[in-house]
Amino acid sequence: MSQELSLHQRRRAPRPEELDGIPWLALLQPAERERAHKALVVGDAQSGDYVCRTGRAPTYWFGVVEGLLKMNTDGADGASMTLAGLPPGGWFGEGTAVKREPYRYNVQAIRKSVVAGLPIDTFHWLLDHSIGFNRFVMSQLNERLGQFISAREIDRLTNPDLRVARSLAALFHPLLYPGVGEVLRITQQELAYLVGLSRQRVNEALSVLQRENAIVVEYGGLRVLDLEALRSGLFATARRAA
């Protein structure tokens, strides 16, 4: 019986439309961009495939071209904490790549996804030679720190409506996830997996957020109408004060 190929073994050259979805390529000078184009690979991840695993050394800097990934850590007590959902346009693991240290988290596909990888040696070459790339990575590090702080706050929330609202707001981050736009393609089951609630409870929370005119539930996804309300939870504050 043949063994299934790993995501790394299934890597291939990116298609032109996949390269178009990589936000930092436009920031490079022509020679830098050519070098990146030659080095970039993509893999077609199946649901459940691991992109990164705790304790393993990084060999690529990764980004999501299509699909949805989940970044999480496992505590000593066995409890899992979601650090981030990773929708299209999101690149992640730059801190680990910069330091060349083992991953301290897992990243797993929660549906069929296309994942791009830039070899770590090319990543460091661009850091050494490209001002535009440096600025992008520094911005990523800064925004990611804020996201991780927010993830800890979300993990402690006991109000399910606020938990879903804040988690949705994180997925609509315009700098970290420029490929999302105004509509996020996600199922209620996928959102439940990211948030750590039951599908039924997520459905109830989405109904609340829609009544508050913060989102619109559309076929196959969600449209955000009031991102600030999702971030701040002011809709819940107003309701409690009423």
Side-chain angles (χ1 to χ4, degrees):
M1 183 176 178
S2 61
Q3 189 174 13
E4 185 177 351
L5 295 177
S6 68
L7 180 59
H8 180 260
Q9 291 170 321
R10 301 197 304 268
R11 68 191 185 279
R12 57 175 173 80
R15 303 184 182 101
E17 63 271 19
E18 292 169 338
L19 290 172
D20 290 342
I22 297 177
W24 50 267
L25 283 175
L27 306 176
L28 306 183
Q29 296 299 316
E32 299 163 354
R33 192 178 305 116
E34 181 180 2
R35 191 181 188 106
H37 279 181
K38 290 179 179 178
L40 279 162
V41 295
V42 298
D44 299 295
Q46 301 299 311
S47 178
D49 280 350
Y50 280 93
V51 179
C52 309
R53 300 205 69 161
T54 300
R56 293 188 179 178
T59 52
Y60 290 90
W61 180 46
F62 292 108
V64 185
V65 178
E66 295 177 13
L68 186 64
L69 311 182
K70 175 183 178 179
M71 179 186 290
N72 73 284
T73 59
D74 296 319
D77 59 356
S80 177
M81 174 184 166
T82 298
L83 296 175
L86 301 165
W91 284 74
F92 57 91
E94 51 280 334
T96 301
V98 166
K99 293 181 284 187
R100 295 181 185 260
E101 67 177 15
Y103 290 109
R104 299 182 182 181
Y105 48 82
N106 299 310
V107 176
Q108 188 176 21
I110 61 175
R111 69 165 178 256
K112 286 185 177 181
S113 303
V114 178
V115 182
L118 181 72
I120 195 166
D121 288 340
T122 308
F123 174 87
H124 278 270
W125 185 91
L126 287 171
L127 281 181
D128 291 339
H129 294 85
S130 173
I131 294 175
F133 189 76
N134 260 277
R135 288 174 176 167
F136 182 86
V137 171
M138 292 305 104
S139 174
Q140 286 278 116
L141 288 168
N142 183 55
E143 296 296 334
R144 189 74 67 195
L145 176 60
Q147 186 185 52
F148 287 165
I149 292 172
S150 178
R152 287 201 168 274
E153 294 173 350
I154 292 171
D155 193 57
R156 296 185 179 120
L157 289 173
T158 57
N159 183 316
D161 297 344
L162 288 178
R163 192 180 178 103
V164 171
R166 293 282 299 277
S167 297
L168 277 177
L171 291 169
F172 280 90
H173 195 299
L175 295 179
L176 288 175
Y177 311 126
V180 173
E182 294 182 352
V183 178
L184 175 67
R185 298 301 173 191
I186 191 170
T187 67
Q188 291 182 12
Q189 186 59 57
E190 290 167 346
L191 184 57
Y193 185 50
L194 289 176
V195 178
L197 297 171
S198 69
R199 183 181 180 277
Q200 180 180 359
R201 190 59 190 85
V202 165
N203 180 53
E204 293 172 2
L206 292 177
S207 296
V208 170
L209 298 179
Q210 184 162 245
R211 286 199 303 270
E212 296 287 346
N213 296 316
I215 65 168
V216 172
V217 179
E218 299 184 353
Y219 179 76
L222 303 167
R223 181 181 297 274
V224 167
L225 302 179
D226 192 341
L227 184 56
E228 187 55 38
L230 294 178
R231 288 173 175 163
S232 65
L234 288 179
F235 59 88
T237 303
R239 188 165 62 251
R240 286 196 299 269

